[in-house]
Amino acid sequence: MCERRTRRTGPFARLAATVAALLAGLAPAFAEPALWVARDADSTVYMFGTFHVLKPEASWESEATLNAFLESDELWLEVNLTGSSGSSVNLMALGTRPGQPLSASIPAKDLETVKTVAKSLAIPYPTLEPLRPWLASVIIARHDLKAAGYTSSGPDLAFAGLATRTAKPVRAFETPASQFGMFARLSPEAELAVLRASLDEAGERSDYFDAVAAAWLAGDVETLETRALDEIRAMGPEVYDTLVTDRNRAMAETIRSFMQEGSGRHFVAVGAAHLIGPDSIQRFLADAGIESERVNTPAGPLAP
């Protein structure tokens, strides 16, 4: 159910106009990515599911989201994107194994597929050879997305910029090191599953991402769960638990902590996959006795 909001004038109205301009205008009425809210006696937490990379023409901003952001005292992201987190990561230390290049880490058939896909995406294979399968998968997926037209940063970076401009504190659930570290801790079998998923989707990612992005823009969480979470589940329980369940549990615990130990309004912007499905952040909040509700409601699931 949507919250009733009073009409604001004066400084708040001027701030809203400024932020709207920074966001290049509000989106059409059909663009309404899902937004949830959780409350206790003295805390309000808005939870917005983001899409980390978009096509340049995508317009995702809505009045409900903008109002929720403006009303909040601080912004929470997966990682701090303001450049002031003080966190660094030695990616090559996590993404390589001395003496064990990619060609020695995966079956010969998969290696041939890697070389074929790399050539189709204009990735020089020698740049992949030193890497562990998980990092090779990340690089292949990024090139594939770029080839499909997904070249613009998503709402996460926009919110980080707005927070800086409006002097809103930015907090983070994770660090770049912890995010890459979770991949680095995968078993060899799970790493191979992640790589094979990227290889299987190469060349077809545009259709897949177009469908998922359309569902995200429409706030169609049913289609998002079917398309996005099912893809992760297909990689096996270890990958699903590492990328979804364990992280959602930890983020929910952080939210529970700052709700119960403090007060105020908080705006949480994390990947949309963290706010859908049976192992969502909302589920773990509910386990802790904190209920969430949808702020905006879509017209219904998109046609397949």
Side-chain angles (χ1 to χ4, degrees):
M1 181 181 295
C2 294
E3 292 184 299
R4 295 187 63 184
R5 305 185 186 280
T6 58
R7 181 177 178 86
R8 290 169 171 79
T9 58
F12 186 93
R14 290 193 294 273
L15 179 58
T18 300
V19 174
L22 291 170
L23 286 172
L26 294 176
F30 62 82
E32 192 78 23
L35 178 69
W36 283 267
V37 65
R39 295 186 176 89
D40 64 13
D42 56 3
S43 300
T44 298
V45 179
Y46 293 103
M47 294 174 285
F48 178 77
T50 71
F51 215 70
H52 297 315
V53 62
L54 293 166
K55 288 186 173 180
E57 64 271 19
S59 186
W60 54 268
E61 306 88 352
S62 71
E63 184 177 1
T65 301
L66 177 60
N67 284 340
F69 175 83
L70 290 173
E71 292 173 1
S72 298
D73 304 313
E74 63 180 13
L75 169 66
W76 280 83
L77 299 171
E78 286 183 35
V79 296
N80 194 326
L81 299 174
T82 64
S84 60
S85 65
S87 175
S88 61
V89 56
N90 187 340
L91 183 57
M92 294 308 293
L94 294 171
T96 62
R97 284 196 182 101
Q100 191 174 356
L102 187 62
S103 58
S105 303
I106 62 177
K109 184 177 180 180
D110 293 300
L111 181 62
E112 288 306 310
T113 305
V114 168
K115 291 179 177 179
T116 300
V117 169
K119 184 177 181 180
S120 71
L121 294 173
I123 305 172
Y125 175 74
T127 64
L128 300 177
E129 171 64 0
L131 307 182
R132 288 177 54 174
W134 74 262
L135 185 52
S137 171
V138 170
I139 291 174
I140 288 169
R142 286 180 176 175
H143 278 76
D144 202 18
L145 282 170
K146 184 176 180 180
Y150 286 83
T151 58
S152 294
S153 300
D156 319 67
L157 193 58
F159 283 129
L162 290 172
T164 299
R165 291 176 174 88
T166 55
K168 198 182 298 289
V170 179
R171 319 291 185 196
F173 293 103
E174 300 169 330
T175 66
S178 70
Q179 289 196 336
F180 287 121
M182 69 184 174
F183 284 102
R185 289 188 294 273
L186 291 174
S187 68
E189 295 77 14
E191 276 196 78
L192 182 57
V194 171
L195 175 61
R196 284 174 172 169
S198 289
L199 296 175
D200 290 344
E201 295 156 9
E204 300 177 1
R205 194 173 294 270
S206 179
D207 291 342
Y208 166 79
F209 248 70
D210 287 350
V212 176
W216 172 74
L217 282 168
D220 178 4
V221 296
E222 181 179 329
T223 299
L224 272 178
E225 179 177 355
T226 301
R227 301 299 298 270
L229 283 188
D230 283 358
E231 181 189 13
I232 302 174
R233 290 188 186 105
M235 299 181 204
E238 181 184 349
V239 175
Y240 180 82
D241 287 344
T242 298
L243 299 186
V244 179
T245 308
D246 294 346
R247 296 172 70 202
N248 290 352
R249 183 186 292 110
M251 285 190 270
E253 173 57 24
T254 299
I255 293 170
R256 182 207 64 78
S257 178
F258 66 63
M259 288 184 73
Q260 295 188 355
E261 296 175 10
S263 61
R265 294 174 177 264
H266 315 265
F267 190 90
V268 170
V270 294
H274 296 294
L275 298 172
I276 58 176
D279 304 300
S280 65
I281 290 173
Q282 301 95 308
R283 170 261 169 112
F284 290 110
L285 286 175
D287 289 349
I290 302 171
E291 296 300 325
S292 308
E293 63 178 339
R294 181 80 178 265
V295 174
N296 52 8
T297 304
L302 298 177

